[in-house]
Amino acid sequence: STIQALTCSMGAVPTQTASDSFEDEPPLMEELGIDLPQIYQTTMTVLNPSKPAATTLMDDPDLSGPLLFCLGFGSLLLLSGKIHFGYIYGVALIGAASMYTLLNLMSVNGVSASITVSVLGYCMLPMCGLAAISAYSVSRGYLGSFYPLSLFLGCVRFFQAVRVCVGYVRSA
């Protein structure tokens, strides 16, 4: 037919015919490259920086977990009445570019951009927790007095995340 001749002339070979079934298709999560056990393992590694990180996590850095955390962070800020999606992505882009440059200047072997973005994205998880506390304290007026405590805990988690990043650079 004309469509088959057109696609064959462009270099693509039709792979699916009318007799193929959907049972032969891989699951959607696998097809998109989203590995939930790896996301969970990386999240637990970021949450517990005193545990040594597995070297297999850096072999295949995924960006689905960090994207999930960025969307969650924006949604939690939206619940507290602040619309900051553009700021989140702008600061994440500038921060990732700056950290990538800094790590490559300090490292002998160099670090790939995908690893840098993946680690920084997973380090946004404590900020998601702080945004959840903020959304809760906005809805509950008397809990607003706990803001300094949550700010202190956020700073502690930030420095723990920096420690994890430095550990990844040392192991690379």
Side-chain angles (χ1 to χ4, degrees):
S1 73
T2 347
I3 296 174
Q4 207 171 24
L6 181 63
T7 56
C8 289
S9 68
M10 294 170 75
V13 178
T15 57
Q16 187 174 9
T17 62
S19 64
D20 286 345
S21 65
F22 287 109
E23 287 85 25
D24 298 335
E25 293 286 324
L28 181 62
M29 298 288 266
E30 181 181 323
E31 192 171 338
L32 293 174
I34 299 173
D35 188 15
L36 290 178
Q38 181 185 6
I39 292 173
Y40 178 76
Q41 184 181 11
T42 309
T43 302
M44 290 298 118
T45 301
V46 168
L47 286 177
N48 187 8
S50 61
K51 186 178 83 169
T55 57
T56 58
L57 292 177
M58 291 299 110
D59 292 341
D60 185 26
D62 69 313
L63 298 177
S64 54
L67 183 63
L68 178 73
F69 292 145
C70 283
L71 289 174
F73 183 56
S75 300
L76 286 169
L77 285 179
L78 189 62
L79 282 176
S80 65
K82 303 170 187 164
I83 303 173
H84 292 300
F85 283 103
Y87 293 121
I88 292 169
Y89 295 124
V91 168
L93 181 69
I94 291 172
S98 301
M99 187 63 73
Y100 172 72
T101 304
L102 185 65
L103 289 175
N104 279 325
L105 288 174
M106 291 180 1
S107 177
V108 175
N109 298 333
V111 178
S112 72
S114 61
I115 290 176
T116 305
V117 171
S118 178
V119 169
L120 288 177
Y122 278 107
C123 290
M124 284 191 67
L125 185 61
M127 290 174 35
C128 291
L130 288 176
I133 291 171
S134 172
Y136 183 75
S137 64
V138 164
S139 66
R140 311 269 187 224
Y142 62 89
L143 284 179
S145 62
F146 290 111
Y147 180 72
L149 176 66
S150 65
L151 186 64
F152 172 75
L153 291 175
C155 290
V156 168
R157 293 304 292 172
F158 170 76
F159 288 118
Q160 286 178 342
V162 168
R163 186 171 158 223
V164 168
C165 289
V166 169
Y168 284 144
V169 170
R170 286 183 184 164
S171 67

